[in-house]
Amino acid sequence: MRIATTIFLTDRTVSPTHLARTLEERGFAGLYLPEHTHIPVSRTTSAPMGGELPEQYGRTLDPFVALAQAAAVTRRLHLGTGITLVAQHDPIGLAKQAATLDHLSNGRLTLGIGYGWNVEEAADHGVDWPTRRERVRAHMALMRALWSPKPTAYESPYGSVQASLAYPKPATPPRELPAGERLHGPRTLIGGAAGPKLFAAVADHADGWLPIGGGGLTENLPVLRQVWEDAGRDPKTLQVVPYAVQPTPGKLAHYAELGIEEVVLQLPSAREEEVLRTLDDYAQYL
């Protein structure tokens, strides 16, 4: 099982370059970073974990800039977003960012995507909250059009692009889909809670699922696998990566029994000394 990590990197934590070097030197598989552009102080949306929203949510570094720094000082460490708030982006610009990072890192990018939880943050980006799922699907389709090897047009109510020259192309090879189609772009995992809508989206336009916290996999994995196969996807290609996990030996052993090949462990949003102490503790799982 590959052991990756995630952390809220901020202007007060360990730097991306130092953390990335340390993770690679110690044998960790990857570094995933979350995204929030801002947190409106008038927020009425409840924090996803309940209670007060931790300070780091409003201080988070841009994940693509931070991961580019990490890519520049490593050679093997995989790089991921967990998650990119796709509805809040211009998809043409996001396609360029993701393709550039995947190209410069020689195919090390995982694009973790999701629908978000903060209504006020999304509203400032012009996102109509009830349409966010349709918007994410359309944005991803537009991005795949730009990542295609031939100029490909795409049009939807949420964004359009003419057939265009768009380079660099992602370094990650395309994956086979039913009916001879291909999935272009970096490895893409959709984060979110289990349910029919989420699983349908995973089977439609992703490589797998990024279950936040990793709970409920025993019940939900068989359901997702059935949805995946019903969509004509190859059962061997489904990837499920438990994310932001607080590990125990028993929990990781259970994941291994379920066939999980990668898990992302949560690091504290802290300075170097505390992060290194946590990595010392996590070394038992490598």
Side-chain angles (χ1 to χ4, degrees):
M1 182 182 291
R2 299 185 302 278
I3 304 297
T5 61
T6 184
I7 181 174
F8 276 87
L9 285 180
T10 77
D11 55 331
R12 295 178 173 176
T13 66
V14 61
S15 72
T17 52
H18 186 75
L19 177 57
R21 285 193 187 103
T22 300
L23 290 171
E24 185 162 271
E25 290 167 358
R26 293 186 177 212
F28 288 89
L31 171 63
Y32 289 70
L33 299 180
E35 176 182 48
H36 283 286
T37 53
H38 66 300
I39 300 294
V41 296
S42 61
R43 177 179 59 84
T44 58
T45 309
S46 300
M49 73 297 292
E52 291 297 317
L53 190 69
E55 181 188 39
Q56 62 259 29
Y57 277 76
R59 307 191 75 101
T60 303
L61 301 184
D62 179 274
F64 289 96
V65 175
L67 289 171
Q69 283 200 333
V73 298
T74 57
R75 292 294 176 266
R76 300 179 305 279
L77 190 73
H78 285 260
L79 314 161
T81 59
I83 56 171
T84 299
L85 297 166
V86 174
Q88 297 181 186
H89 283 266
D90 163 32
I92 298 174
L94 182 58
K96 175 70 79 173
Q97 285 179 284
T100 299
L101 182 53
D102 199 48
H103 167 74
L104 292 177
S105 66
N106 295 314
R108 287 188 278 154
L109 177 63
T110 291
L111 189 63
I113 68 171
Y115 307 107
W117 60 269
N118 191 320
V119 177
E120 293 76 30
E121 177 185 359
D124 283 347
H125 288 278
V127 176
D128 176 42
W129 191 250
T131 68
R132 68 194 185 281
R133 289 179 181 269
E134 293 84 356
R135 187 178 299 266
V136 167
R137 188 181 188 281
H139 282 193
M140 291 304 302
L142 188 155
M143 290 161 64
R144 289 195 301 273
L146 290 169
W147 292 333
S148 297
K150 295 181 180 180
T152 303
Y154 178 78
E155 184 173 353
S156 83
Y158 304 105
S160 303
V161 68
Q162 302 173 52
S164 303
L165 299 177
Y167 290 86
K169 300 300 183 185
T172 301
R175 283 79 72 202
E176 296 297 327
L177 290 173
E181 297 182 5
R182 309 186 90 187
L183 184 66
H184 296 282
R187 179 175 78 148
T188 301
L189 305 175
I190 303 182
K197 291 182 179 179
L198 184 96
F199 287 173
V202 169
D204 178 64
H205 59 267
D207 296 289
W209 181 31
L210 200 67
I212 312 302
L217 287 178
T218 302
E219 299 78 18
N220 292 314
L221 263 181
V223 178
L224 174 57
R225 286 172 174 152
Q226 188 62 56
V227 172
W228 183 267
E229 293 185 39
D230 289 347
R233 303 291 298 270
D234 182 348
K236 299 188 293 298
T237 63
L238 174 62
Q239 301 177 53
V240 176
V241 181
Y243 184 80
V245 170
Q246 299 291 343
T248 65
K251 186 183 294 184
L252 295 194
H254 177 59
Y255 291 162
E257 291 172 356
L258 294 175
I260 301 297
E261 298 180 350
E262 180 184 0
V263 62
V264 182
L265 307 185
Q266 181 70 60
L267 292 172
S269 181
R271 296 193 181 275
E272 178 181 343
E273 295 78 10
E274 185 176 349
V275 171
L276 291 179
R277 285 195 297 270
T278 304
L279 290 177
D280 288 339
D281 181 52
Y282 288 174
Q284 65 182 296
Y285 304 116
L286 294 174

